[in-house]
Amino acid sequence: MKKLTVAAVSALACAFSAAPAAAVSYDAFASFAGTAPQGAGTNGSFIYGEANAATPFSAGVFFTANTNCFIDGSTCLQLAPNHDVPGVTKSTATSFQYGTVNVPDDRLLAHPGNSSNQTFLAFVAPTAGSYTLNAIFNVQDIHPTGVGINLIETTDGALPLIFQPIGSIDGANPTFSYTTTVLLVQGGAIGFGLDNGGNYTNDSTGVQFSVNAVPEPAAWALLIAGFGVTGAALRRRRSARTTFVTA
């Protein structure tokens, strides 16, 4: 009986170890520290910069400067010190008012520039698999003029295909939410581009962006099998005890 119990526990342990993506989540706000991976980013990271449909991530424009932030009291990533916009910032303390901008303390603040490029926030997959994206965009300027939101994706570091306009925010519609589940190869990236559809000086946008890894079906099957083996062992053990008592 001990051997059977040990085998059941071992099977269950193997099942858990075979589901590495079961509880893995990534959050752009929590991980943002004013530093940026070089090039197209490292697996499991968020990357920030400017792009359009003709700019490869591997050769794109990435935000790397984190000094002289264009909003005081924040940690930032921007093109260069004192470059103002475009850029991404995070409050270093509580929410506060900076000019016409409400700087939040629970989400990133992204700002498009005045070029045809879009400010992007993207996630780089650490392993091949299925990932669920959850994002909320909201107006953070008291005089909003409108921001278009686009879904962008690259599977191999090639073109960051800005292939799907998915929504917009403005004074009349200050919040937009989006959720999707996608398959990514290792190193593939997916995220969002923010355009300067209105007057870019008033287009500060709050962004909540999180990613959850989805367990593979095989991992779930093995996990369930592990529970089944353990349950069978426990039932046999109870049956043996019952037989001993009534004999």
Side-chain angles (χ1 to χ4, degrees):
M1 183 57 62
K2 288 184 177 179
K3 291 182 179 179
L4 183 59
T5 303
V6 170
V9 172
S10 298
L12 185 59
C14 289
F16 275 112
S17 64
V24 180
S25 61
Y26 307 86
D27 185 86
F29 179 78
S31 64
F32 189 88
T35 57
Q38 298 299 309
T42 55
N43 296 342
S45 66
F46 289 91
I47 53 179
Y48 307 89
E50 274 194 317
N52 57 49
T55 305
F57 270 125
S58 57
V61 178
F62 294 86
F63 300 152
T64 56
N66 57 10
T67 57
N68 299 324
C69 298
F70 68 87
I71 292 182
D72 296 335
S74 68
T75 299
C76 66
L77 274 176
Q78 51 197 20
L79 286 179
N82 294 321
H83 197 79
D84 295 335
V85 295
V88 178
T89 69
K90 174 182 178 178
S91 171
T92 56
T94 60
S95 59
F96 61 93
Q97 188 75 22
Y98 182 81
T100 63
V101 178
N102 298 304
V103 183
D105 61 0
D106 62 348
R107 68 201 67 193
L108 294 177
L109 189 70
H111 206 299
N114 62 351
S115 71
S116 60
N117 289 340
Q118 299 188 30
T119 291
F120 71 79
L121 308 86
F123 170 76
V124 183
T127 59
S130 182
Y131 295 87
T132 297
L133 282 67
N134 296 285
I136 301 175
F137 306 87
N138 65 281
V139 167
Q140 293 294 149
D141 196 289
I142 61 176
H143 301 300
T145 56
V147 172
I149 301 166
N150 299 270
L151 185 69
I152 62 174
E153 181 179 10
T154 176
T155 58
D156 57 4
L159 295 181
L161 305 176
I162 302 175
F163 62 88
Q164 184 181 0
I166 55 174
S168 62
I169 54 174
D170 54 30
N173 301 285
T175 302
F176 174 75
S177 300
Y178 186 79
T179 298
T180 189
T181 298
V182 296
L183 291 172
L184 295 174
V185 300
Q186 182 176 5
I190 189 165
F192 304 94
L194 306 178
D195 67 27
N196 59 348
N199 178 355
Y200 78 97
T201 60
N202 296 103
D203 285 344
S204 292
T205 302
V207 182
Q208 293 173 296
F209 181 15
S210 62
V211 178
N212 296 311
V214 180
E216 294 297 329
W220 277 118
L222 189 56
L223 183 63
I224 293 171
F227 280 118
V229 171
T230 303
L234 292 175
R235 286 194 297 272
R236 290 176 183 176
R237 188 172 181 180
R238 291 193 190 101
S239 177
R241 286 179 176 174
T242 301
T243 301
F244 175 78
V245 172
T246 58

